[in-house]
């Protein structure tokens, strides 16, 4: 059930934040929402992609293990064509996150540079192990944000949780420090963050990680929930999150003028429950697998969801995929009465906050209203 007052309060709080990490920025794209509502073709505001399905880590919490599909290699030409098409049709932001560690791909740096030169807002999340000074100096001028996935603040627990060698912890910490240093030296606008994917059994790392961030001084540390699939394959015990609210609030209290600790409270407190059944988000926030597969969202990458798969950029230009009847048939099905996100999906997907907002709008619980001119635009506006 919706709590209208609570939802409206949360939306108002979001508007007052320069860095929205627990919400959506879809309200700044009312023009696209209106076109979508009329049944017209719209370009996604954001596309979340990976350049490969491969990864050099084996994180305990990794959702990508549930997303396996037929693998293809994304070449430099494939990704350049994709980025050119995305810019042409009106996509605003490309986030290199999705279901693989994009820094493993030999085309990673080239892709960031190409997207930036095309006028796209580029961003990436990474474990950070393969970064170095040369790569950072090349990519940071083209990035809106660089986020390091680091779910522990101590070497031993880092190795256990992140599925890597204990000594890798220090190398990643040095790379974060290097990124912060380059940003300051070159006076770059890029936001540098750290992210903890939090499962209840990692609670002992909340404060050590917050303290580590306080020392390294990225712009922020965000602590987010762990998403699980429809079968609960990762074993996330959502009911146990509440046992650690005190620790999470202690971590937030470490924030200062230059370093913010933010907890994704709305998702953590939801206990993995969706309030909506229709899926409206993918036309605005699309995803692509590191295999080149275009699907509405990452939760539908797995081969068993083939009826939702739309195309592959290693075989077909993205613009042609986007213009195809197949693309819009799949999007229409997800927003129809034939689809029930509460029964047919995992929980807390990337599109969750967009879905929540648009579902509230369709039900008359929230207004479709662009923020007034005096409201300062938040950072990372191209990533909804």
């Amino acid at each position: 059930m919706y709590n209208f007052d609570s939802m409206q309060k949360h939306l108002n709080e979001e508007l007052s934040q320069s860095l929205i990490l627990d919400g959506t920025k879809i309200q700044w794209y009312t023009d696209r929402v209106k076109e979508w509502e009329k049944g017209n073709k719209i370009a996604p505001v954001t596309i979340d992609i990976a350049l490969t399905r491969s990864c050099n880590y084996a994180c305990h919490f990794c959702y990508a293990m549930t997303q396996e599909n037929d693998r293809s290699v994304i070449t430099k030409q494939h990704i350049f064509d994709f980025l050119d098409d995305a810019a042409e049709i009106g996509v605003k932001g490309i986030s290199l996150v999705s279901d693989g560690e994009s820094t493993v791909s030999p085309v990673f740096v080239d892709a960031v540079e190409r997207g930036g030169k095309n006028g796209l807002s580029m961003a990436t999340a990474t474990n950070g192990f393969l970064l170095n000074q040369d790569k950072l100096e090349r990519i940071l001028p083209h990035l809106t944000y660089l986020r390091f996935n680091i779910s522990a603040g101590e070497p031993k627990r880092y190795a256990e949780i992140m599925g890597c060698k204990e000594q890798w912890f220090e190398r990643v910490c040095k790379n974060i420090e290097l990124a912060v240093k380059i940003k300051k030296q070159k006076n770059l606008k890029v936001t540098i963050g750290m992210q903890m994917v939090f499962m209840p059994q990692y609670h002992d790392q909340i404060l050590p990680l917050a303290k580590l961030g306080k020392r390294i001084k990225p712009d922020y540390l965000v602590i987010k929930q762990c998403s699980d699939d429809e079968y609960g394959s990762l074993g996330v015990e959502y009911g146990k999150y509440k046992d650690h609210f005190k620790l999470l609030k202690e971590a937030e209290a470490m924030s200062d003028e230059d370093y913010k600790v933010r907890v994704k409270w709305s998702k953590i407190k939801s206990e993995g429950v969706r309030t909506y059944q229709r899926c409206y988000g993918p036309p605005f926030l699309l995803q692509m697998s590191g295999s080149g597969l275009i699907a509405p969202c990452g939760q539908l990458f797995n081969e068993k969801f083939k009826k939702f798969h739309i195309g592959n950029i290693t075989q077909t230009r993205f613009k042609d995929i986007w213009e195809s009847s197949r693309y819009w048939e799949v999007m229409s099905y997800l927003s129809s009465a034939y689809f029930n996100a509460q029964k047919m999906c995992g929980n807390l997907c990337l599109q969750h906050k967009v879905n929540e907002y648009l579902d509230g709008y369709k039900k008359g619980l929230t207004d479709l209203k662009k923020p007034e001119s005096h409201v300062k635009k938040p950072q990372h506006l191209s990533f909804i």
Side-chain angles (χ1 to χ4, degrees):
M1 292 293 291
Y2 279 95
N3 182 322
F4 175 73
D5 292 335
S6 176
M7 178 183 287
Q8 199 59 52
K9 180 182 178 183
H10 185 69
L11 290 172
N12 291 338
E13 288 173 350
E14 286 177 12
L15 294 181
S16 68
Q17 297 177 6
S18 64
L19 185 62
I20 296 175
L21 296 171
D22 184 26
T24 177
K25 309 177 194 79
I26 190 68
Q27 55 267 51
W28 271 270
Y29 293 94
T30 55
D31 53 341
R32 295 200 195 200
V33 176
K34 289 176 181 176
E35 289 300 307
W36 163 77
E37 196 173 22
K38 293 175 186 175
N40 294 333
K41 188 180 295 184
I42 62 165
V45 178
T46 310
I47 306 180
D48 179 83
I49 74 171
L51 298 175
T52 178
R53 282 276 296 140
S54 299
C55 186
N56 49 347
Y57 279 48
C59 297
H60 175 259
F61 55 81
C62 185
Y63 192 88
M65 64 179 283
T66 72
Q67 297 171 300
E68 193 59 59
N69 57 75
D70 290 340
R71 298 196 181 198
S72 300
V73 176
I74 299 174
T75 66
K76 184 187 289 190
Q77 191 61 54
H78 292 144
I79 196 61
F80 277 16
D81 288 346
F82 169 82
L83 293 167
D84 293 350
D85 288 349
E88 182 182 339
I89 70 172
V91 174
K92 298 294 185 181
I94 301 291
S95 52
L96 294 166
V97 185
S98 200
D99 61 344
E101 173 57 46
S102 288
T103 60
V104 171
S105 168
V107 303
F108 168 69
V109 173
D110 293 320
V112 173
E113 290 178 328
R114 179 68 164 228
K117 290 173 182 176
N118 279 357
L120 293 163
S121 292
M122 300 296 293
T124 190
T126 172
N127 57 45
F129 181 76
L130 292 176
L131 295 178
N132 55 39
Q133 182 154 350
D134 177 64
K135 290 178 182 178
L136 286 167
E137 287 186 344
R138 287 180 62 184
I139 65 174
L140 286 174
H142 298 285
L143 290 176
T144 298
Y145 71 79
L146 169 60
R147 190 175 71 225
F148 290 86
N149 295 323
I150 177 169
S151 291
E154 297 170 328
K156 185 174 185 298
R157 289 289 280 139
Y158 176 83
E160 292 169 352
I161 293 169
M162 303 287 286
C164 63
K165 295 179 181 179
E166 197 170 319
Q167 59 264 36
W168 290 13
F169 176 78
E170 291 302 326
R171 174 168 168 171
V172 170
C173 289
K174 288 179 181 177
N175 281 339
I176 300 172
E177 290 178 306
L178 181 58
V180 172
K181 180 181 178 181
I182 293 170
K183 172 188 172 173
K184 290 179 179 178
Q185 286 179 339
K186 296 182 178 291
N187 195 27
L188 301 174
K189 293 181 179 180
V190 59
T191 303
I192 297 172
M194 293 163 52
Q195 175 175 275
M196 177 186 197
V197 177
F198 174 47
M199 293 180 74
Q201 59 266 44
Y202 307 160
H203 69 273
D204 62 301
Q205 292 304 297
I206 293 171
L207 296 183
L209 185 56
K211 290 175 183 177
L212 176 67
K214 187 89 170 175
R215 176 176 66 81
I216 295 178
K217 286 287 188 181
D219 296 293
Y220 68 86
L221 163 66
V222 62
I223 302 174
K224 62 166 285 186
Q225 80 301 329
C226 182
S227 298
D228 211 338
D229 68 5
E230 67 274 26
Y231 304 114
S233 299
L234 298 180
V236 187
E237 297 180 276
Y238 291 104
K240 291 188 176 181
Y241 276 130
K242 61 180 178 290
D243 298 339
H244 310 295
F245 284 0
K246 182 180 178 182
L247 284 174
L248 292 170
K249 289 176 181 177
E250 282 185 47
E252 284 191 318
M254 292 185 192
S255 299
D256 57 37
E257 187 174 338
D258 302 315
Y259 166 66
K260 307 299 180 189
V261 180
R262 296 275 177 83
V263 176
K264 290 195 172 187
W265 285 111
S266 70
K267 285 189 173 183
I268 284 177
K269 289 181 176 180
S270 76
E271 297 192 2
V273 177
R274 294 179 187 267
T275 57
Y276 54 87
Q277 295 178 329
R278 307 287 84 81
C279 181
Y280 300 126
F284 302 91
L285 177 49
L286 184 67
Q287 288 187 265
M288 184 184 86
S289 170
S291 66
L293 169 70
I294 298 291
C297 70
Q299 295 205 348
L300 298 176
F301 283 163
N302 193 285
E303 201 64 22
K304 66 187 176 185
F305 297 117
K306 198 155 190 171
K307 69 178 182 178
F308 297 107
H309 295 175
I310 302 168
N312 192 301
I313 68 160
T314 68
Q315 301 163 12
T316 309
R317 289 283 297 242
F318 174 65
K319 185 179 178 182
D320 294 329
I321 294 173
W322 176 74
E323 289 178 337
S324 70
S325 59
R326 170 72 178 164
Y327 182 99
W328 296 103
E329 285 167 3
V330 172
M331 297 300 174
S332 297
Y333 177 77
L334 294 174
S335 63
S336 75
Y338 296 104
F339 186 80
N340 187 336
Q342 292 173 339
K343 296 180 179 180
M344 302 168 73
C345 290
N347 52 55
L348 302 177
C349 62
L350 184 67
Q351 292 80 4
H352 179 70
K353 299 306 292 187
V354 177
N355 275 330
E356 230 177 31
Y357 183 93
L358 292 176
D359 189 62
Y361 164 63
K362 296 284 274 187
K363 291 175 177 174
L365 299 174
T366 54
D367 295 327
L368 179 64
K369 185 179 179 183
K370 192 170 185 177
E372 296 178 9
S373 57
H374 69 272
V375 176
K376 186 178 179 180
K377 290 182 179 179
Q379 298 180 62
H380 312 168
L381 194 56
S382 298
F383 303 94
I384 60 169

